[in-house]
Amino acid sequence: MTHAKVLMLNESILSTPLAEAGLRLLRMVDTSEPLIPPTLATFASSCGTEDGAWGETVDLDHPRLREEANSLWRRMALHGGLFSEEDSRFLIAVNLSAGESPRWWWAQVQLLDEWDMVDAGAASGVLGHGPFRPSFVMLSLDGGVILRCDLGQASMDFSMVREAHHAPTLLRHGEWMAGSPRVDDVTRAATRRWLSRRHTSNQDSAR
């Protein structure tokens, strides 16, 4: 099956569950684009202040868990620059593989007027593993801002990195992934493209 057919197939499969979260699928992003691969972007939750990162949590026993967690997600997304009030498009990591080994890449989506990331979105299977069990990573259109959500023992944990290409933790993990045979070929190649683009951008800015 060609790459184009794989993307078209995934579009038809993903549109409905993304809509359940309140997201309109706009397009599958071509895997040749030099974006940070989702597998590397998940390490945003391991980033600290030296990476320009920050995080917030919501206790799982919060009496208004859905409202509080969704509200926190939106505040962080707007404040951090994942999207804006004027343009609500961003990227979300989706699994392109129907097999046992996942192949994560980016889909471009738009936030609808009614949405729910942590309950209906997580229950859809695209943004998590069931109601109130969110697990997702999102990226701004320019590739600079990462918003990660995963589940802790007693809380939903949100992590944000504003300038991913300057984050030492992501760069260290990226250098390892780019050369590791334990990483799948698609992710390894994508990591190398991202690192190469980052080095080129730094050289241009130094001139």
Side-chain angles (χ1 to χ4, degrees):
M1 185 179 294
T2 67
H3 173 72
K5 287 183 179 179
V6 169
L7 292 182
M8 289 176 62
L9 177 61
N10 278 278
E11 284 188 22
S12 64
I13 292 173
L14 290 167
S15 292
T16 298
L18 284 171
E20 292 173 7
L23 299 171
R24 176 183 292 117
L25 178 62
L26 300 178
R27 70 181 181 97
M28 300 298 300
V29 178
D30 195 285
T31 54
S32 65
E33 293 194 24
L35 297 167
I36 185 171
T39 306
L40 177 54
T42 60
F43 284 99
S45 56
S46 300
C47 290
T49 54
E50 72 277 8
D51 301 291
W54 82 95
E56 306 229 19
T57 65
V58 179
D59 291 340
L60 294 177
D61 61 0
H62 193 286
R64 298 176 66 248
L65 178 58
R66 184 171 68 88
E67 292 83 357
E68 184 69 16
N70 277 325
S71 178
L72 175 58
W73 171 82
R74 188 174 188 276
R75 289 199 306 271
M76 291 184 69
L78 287 172
H79 179 68
L82 180 69
F83 56 82
S84 67
E85 294 279 11
E86 297 75 24
D87 186 354
S88 61
R89 295 175 299 157
F90 58 96
L91 308 180
I92 186 166
V94 296
N95 182 14
L96 300 181
S97 173
E100 294 183 1
S101 299
R103 288 181 53 203
W104 296 95
W105 195 244
W106 302 108
Q108 186 182 126
V109 298
Q110 184 173 30
L111 188 67
L112 301 174
D113 291 337
E114 296 186 8
W115 51 269
D116 178 359
M117 299 295 135
V118 302
D119 185 4
S124 74
V126 178
L127 277 70
H129 309 293
F132 301 108
R133 297 182 63 198
S135 178
F136 56 76
V137 60
M138 299 166 173
L139 187 70
S140 59
L141 294 184
D142 65 4
V145 177
I146 300 170
L147 178 54
R148 165 78 166 142
C149 176
D150 52 6
L151 204 62
Q153 289 188 342
S155 62
M156 288 186 196
D157 302 328
F158 296 84
S159 306
M160 174 155 271
V161 178
R162 265 183 166 163
E163 296 184 349
H165 53 289
H166 289 316
T169 298
L170 296 178
L171 295 174
R172 286 195 298 270
H173 281 295
E175 293 287 356
W176 175 82
M177 288 172 60
S180 174
R182 296 169 57 186
V183 177
D184 67 89
D185 293 343
V186 172
T187 300
R188 197 161 60 238
T191 304
R192 290 169 179 165
R193 281 194 298 272
W194 178 70
L195 289 170
S196 176
R197 181 191 182 193
R198 185 257 177 190
H199 293 319
T200 301
S201 297
N202 284 350
Q203 291 172 357
D204 290 341
S205 62
R207 290 173 183 168

